[in-house]
Amino acid sequence: VCPRPFMLDASGSYCARQTVDLEVCRRRCGLADEKGYRRRIRMEETVGRARAVFTPSDFQAAVVRRHFPRCSVVRTNRNGILLPRASRPSRPEGPLRLGYIGGKAHHRGYFFLAKALRGLQRDDFELIFADPGPARGEGGMTGAEDEALWEGLRRRILPLTRRQDMDGLYAHMDVLLFPSLTAESFGLPIREALARDVFVLSSDCGGPREAIIHGENGLLFPLGDLESFREHLRDILQNQNRFKNYRTANYGDMRGIEDQAKELVCENFYDNNKEIRIPLDPQKTARENSQKYFDKYGKLKRTSEALEVQLTETKAQIDHLESIQNSLNIALSADDLVQIKEELMEYGFIKKHK
């Protein structure tokens, strides 16, 4: 909706507007009016033509409804996540482990987190950072700037691995910190953590609130509220034993990829928009499932076209035979019957004598 990713202005701060106003975009971010309006018109035309829009959360569905009121059908279809393959192992002895998985991005709360932790003035915890930099070919979290930012705080940096290896990564965390400073449409790391019995402390940034049951499986604090974040951190550190070998009290709204991938629920445009359920193969990707049905459609289309030709030919033959039957009914002589027989042989209805 916003021309800038994550609704961040030139300084990296979240705009936090309920609806995007292109005049505000021009004043605050210096965006060209003409380009912004062309983009908005294209989006409105595209969404306006859609029979339905699917979003990963109720929060994101509300965003779509506010910006595109002409879209009559907006539905929430929450993403499936990769569920753990085994139970969470017992943790080793040691201080509480606070995990962070947002990278060095300002809007993910990297610098906000450092400021909050320094203000606690305590060191009875270990920071566990999942570093996505090396996997993306970017600088990691071990540069001089990072060392200065986290000086004096105990931290351990782990590589951000493939999604299939998430069990091992989250096994190093007791509490996941998700201090995002921008709106999040879903919050995948939060749901991955909850599924692996990791308590979550998150900003109230949109989609994540639908998975977190405040006080049961996690805590929410107002987006960007440093003191509220610190207060929750103090409470967590004062009750460390609660979160060591913690087991999630409520898994919220999550579901596995397999559950989501069993079927596609959509509207049948060819049957008065009635709901239709299309079975999917969980072993195939979305593209592969689409290709499977496209290939099936192509085969059925070719069969249908061939049948249309055959039906036309068969109808013509029936009409011809009915004409011959009428000729038989009015035949008066042997010569008439000979002519009818010759016609039947000519058109292949009976075999010619050798």
Side-chain angles (χ1 to χ4, degrees), residues 5 32 58 129 146 165 205 216 264 277 350:
D58 293 337
F129 287 170
D146 303 284
D165 301 326
C205 53
E216 292 188 27
L264 172 65
R277 294 176 179 269
I350 62 176

Side-chain angles (χ1 to χ4, degrees), residues 323-336:
S323 173
I324 292 173
Q325 185 180 31
N326 291 332
S327 298
L328 283 170
N329 292 334
I330 62 174
L332 299 175
S333 66
D335 289 340
D336 292 337

Side-chain angles (χ1 to χ4, degrees), residues 92 97-98 126-130 153-158 172-173:
R97 302 168 302 177
L98 304 178
E126 180 184 22
L127 291 171
I128 305 296
F129 287 170
L153 295 173
R154 186 185 316 177
R155 67 181 184 132
R156 184 156 40 111
I157 300 174
L158 303 175
H172 291 282
M173 303 178 186

Side-chain angles (χ1 to χ4, degrees), residues 186-207:
F186 183 63
L188 178 60
I190 285 175
R191 289 165 169 86
E192 288 177 335
L194 293 176
R196 290 161 177 81
D197 293 312
V198 177
F199 195 81
V200 174
L201 172 56
S202 170
S203 61
D204 190 0
C205 53

Side-chain angles (χ1 to χ4, degrees), residues 252-278:
D253 64 353
M254 75 184 67
R255 60 175 173 169
I257 292 175
E258 293 79 8
D259 294 329
Q260 186 186 34
K262 287 179 181 177
E263 63 181 8
L264 172 65
V265 181
C266 58
E267 293 180 337
N268 186 351
F269 304 149
Y270 304 101
D271 190 14
N272 297 319
N273 293 333
K274 292 180 181 178
E275 185 177 279
I276 184 174
R277 294 176 179 269
I278 302 174

